[in-house]
Amino acid sequence: MLERLEIETFLTLAEELHFGRTAARLQITTGRVSQVIKALERRVGGLLFERTSRSVRLTPIGRRLADDLTPLVAGMEEALRRATDAGKGVTGELRAAFLGEWTAPALLRAVARFGERHPDCRVDVREVQLSNSRASLLDGSVDVLLASFPFDGMACGPALLREGRVLAVAADHPLAGEERLSVEVLAEHPVVQYPQVTSTGFKQDRTPDRTPSGRPVPKGPVGGSFSEMLTLVAMGRGVLPVGEHSRQYYPRPDVAYVPLHDAQPIERGLVWMKGNTTERLREFVRAATDAVGSFHPQAYPPDQPAVSPGRLDV
C-alpha cells in the first residue's frame, strides 16, 4: 500500500514539475520530497521523473502512474466528503441562483420545499446573467443554478421545466403575421447570436449552424444580454428562437413571437460543478424535483409534463 505522503508528494510533483514548489505546497523540505520520490522509484523499479539542473519531467512510467492514481484519489476524497456530509446532516448554507426571470418562481418553490425538510440549512437566492452564469459556478459564488439545458461541462439533475419554442421577430417583419413557422425558416434570415461566454452546446441548441434539413443558417449580430438580443431583433437586425415564456416575461410592442411548430421543447433544470456534489446539494435537487413537479401545469402542453424523466447526474 502506498502511504498518503507518497501519493501526495508524487501527484504534487507531477503537477508542479518543480521540487521547490512541491515542497512549499506540502510544507516539507525539498530534501524530503527527493527522499520520498527516490523511495517510491525503488518500489516501482524504474524512474518516475527525469531530472536535470533545469527541468523535471515525467517519464512514461511516471505519467502512467499519475494517470492511474489521480481518479482513485479523487474518488477517495469524494467518498470521505460524502461520509462527512452524511454524518453532519444537511446544515450550513447553500447558494442557489436562477437564470431568466420566469425560472425564479420555480426556484423559490424548490427553496421552500428544501427548507421544510432541512430547516438547519439556509438557502441564499440570487440572479445571474448570461455573462456570468458559468463564472459564478466556477468561482464558487454559486453552488447550484437553475438554467437552460444543455449547460456544457456541468453536472445536471432532471429537467424541471419545459416550454415550446417561438421565433422572435420585429413587429413589422414579414413573418410577424404568420400563425406558426418551421425551424427551416432560420435558413432564410440572419439569426441573432448569444454572447461568446455561453457554451458551444447551448448555442448549437438555440441558434444552430444548420437547419434540420442541413441548410446553413446565416449568423446575425451578437448580443451581450437577452434584452440586448431582443433589441437587435426589434431593430430588424435578425430573428431569434426563444422560449414561449418570453411572450409573458419580455413583452415588447416592437417584437412579435411566432410559434415554431416543429422545434424541440426547451428544457431547464439544476446544474452545478461536479466536484461540488455534496449531500446538501443532492437534497436540494431532490426537493426541487418533488416541488416543481406540480408547478404551473397550465404552462405546458397536455402531452408535455412539467418534470420530464431524468436522473441525478453526479
Side-chain angles (χ1 to χ4, degrees):
M1 292 288 292
L2 290 175
E3 298 291 336
R4 181 179 179 87
L5 179 60
E6 291 177 311
I7 296 174
E8 288 184 345
T9 303
F10 170 72
L11 289 179
T12 304
L13 183 57
E15 179 182 342
E16 294 287 353
L17 296 178
H18 190 280
F19 279 79
R21 290 195 297 269
T22 298
R25 279 181 56 177
L26 299 178
Q27 297 184 332
I28 59 178
T29 66
T30 55
R32 183 59 172 151
V33 173
S34 180
Q35 184 183 44
V36 170
I37 295 301
K38 286 180 179 178
L40 187 55
E41 288 177 330
R42 286 195 295 270
R43 293 181 62 180
V44 171
L47 292 178
L48 299 174
F49 296 92
E50 294 179 357
R51 310 164 180 83
T52 70
S53 59
R54 294 186 176 182
S55 67
V56 177
R57 294 187 300 174
L58 281 164
T59 65
I61 296 174
R63 171 53 59 193
R64 174 68 179 273
L65 183 59
D67 290 343
D68 288 343
L69 280 179
T70 298
L72 296 177
V73 172
M76 292 171 61
E77 292 177 348
E78 177 64 17
L80 180 60
R81 180 162 59 182
R82 290 179 183 176
T84 302
D85 287 340
K88 291 181 177 179
V90 180
T91 59
E93 181 182 55
L94 183 75
R95 293 158 297 186
F98 62 94
L99 176 58
E101 291 184 16
W102 87 273
T103 64
L107 183 63
L108 294 181
R109 192 176 180 93
V111 170
R113 180 66 60 88
F114 179 80
E116 294 171 358
R117 296 177 178 178
H118 307 286
D120 294 332
C121 185
R122 179 177 179 272
V123 181
D124 177 46
V125 177
R126 64 192 68 179
E127 181 182 13
V128 296
Q129 306 299 326
L130 284 171
S131 59
N132 70 343
S133 58
R134 179 175 296 275
S136 297
L137 291 168
L138 293 175
D139 67 19
S141 58
V142 167
D143 296 314
V144 62
L145 168 65
L146 180 54
S148 295
F149 295 158
F151 205 105
D152 300 10
M154 295 291 168
C156 64
L160 301 176
L161 301 171
R162 178 181 290 177
E163 63 175 326
R165 302 192 195 215
V166 297
L167 187 66
V169 300
D172 58 355
H173 194 282
L175 297 177
E178 299 291 331
E179 291 188 3
R180 63 177 191 165
L181 298 167
S182 167
V183 178
E184 291 295 325
V185 78
L186 297 181
E188 302 165 11
H189 305 274
V191 175
V192 174
Q193 300 295 301
Y194 278 84
Q196 295 299 322
V197 294
T198 51
S199 71
T200 300
F202 176 84
K203 284 185 283 195
Q204 282 298 313
D205 177 76
R206 295 302 186 87
T207 55
D209 294 329
R210 293 183 177 276
T211 67
S213 69
R215 300 164 67 195
V217 175
K219 294 184 181 297
V222 176
S225 66
F226 189 68
S227 294
E228 185 176 307
M229 294 170 74
L230 287 180
T231 298
L232 290 170
V233 169
M235 294 170 62
R237 301 284 298 278
V239 300
L240 178 65
V242 298
E244 62 186 355
H245 276 80
S246 298
R247 289 171 165 169
Q248 177 182 355
Y249 285 87
Y250 297 92
R252 296 179 52 145
D254 52 1
V255 174
Y257 298 101
V258 186
L260 292 168
H261 68 85
D262 54 355
Q264 292 296 313
I266 292 173
E267 293 185 329
R268 291 177 169 85
L270 295 173
V271 299
W272 64 94
M273 288 283 290
K274 192 169 186 177
N276 193 32
T277 306
T278 61
E279 188 63 23
R280 182 188 305 124
L281 195 148
R282 288 174 179 274
E283 286 301 314
F284 186 79
V285 174
R286 294 188 181 100
T289 303
D290 293 341
V292 183
S294 58
F295 180 64
H296 289 335
Q298 71 276 13
Y300 306 90
D303 60 342
Q304 296 182 3
V307 179
S308 61
R311 66 184 182 88
L312 180 56
D313 181 6
V314 297

